[in-house]
Amino acid sequence: QVRLVESGGGLVQAGDSLRLSCAASGRTFSMYAMAWFRQAPGKDREFVAGINWTRGTTAYADSVKGRFTISRDSAQTMLYLQMNSLKPEDTAVYYCAGRRSSVVVSTRSEYDYWGQGTQVTVSS
């Protein structure tokens, strides 16, 4: 029903910035909340940031608060993650996710739609 495609990942140095994008297509009207998750090798997929699509209210993991900013462009159905002051521990595959509920949650199983991920590697 919904397709999510991430882009913008790459290799950067610690302290650099990177902006991830997620293009949504299909029945995007069914998504009321979207989020970014990430998964590092050997670790579980974890919540990074989420946004209510209509109100624009946001939530962040403590590990990225103050450094990352989630935003959306409703006209283009695009989701963004501006990542500043990147750290090596930010290295992971970043996934775009959406859910039918308007409530932003941090639980992976609560999301209905997923992209394939984009690799972010931060070197020291």
Side-chain angles (χ1 to χ4, degrees), residues 1-4 23-31 77:
Q1 295 181 1
V2 175
R3 187 187 184 206
L4 304 175
S25 60
R27 295 181 176 271
T28 57
F29 59 85
S30 65
M31 293 193 302
T77 319

Side-chain angles (χ1 to χ4, degrees), residues 43-73:
K43 295 185 178 180
D44 292 333
R45 192 171 300 183
E46 65 176 352
F47 175 82
V48 176
I51 186 169
N52 174 279
W53 196 258
T54 56
R55 292 187 291 273
T57 53
T58 59
Y60 297 91
D62 289 339
S63 60
V64 305
K65 196 171 299 181
R67 298 188 298 121
F68 291 9
T69 302
I70 187 171
S71 62
R72 89 292 198 205
D73 183 341

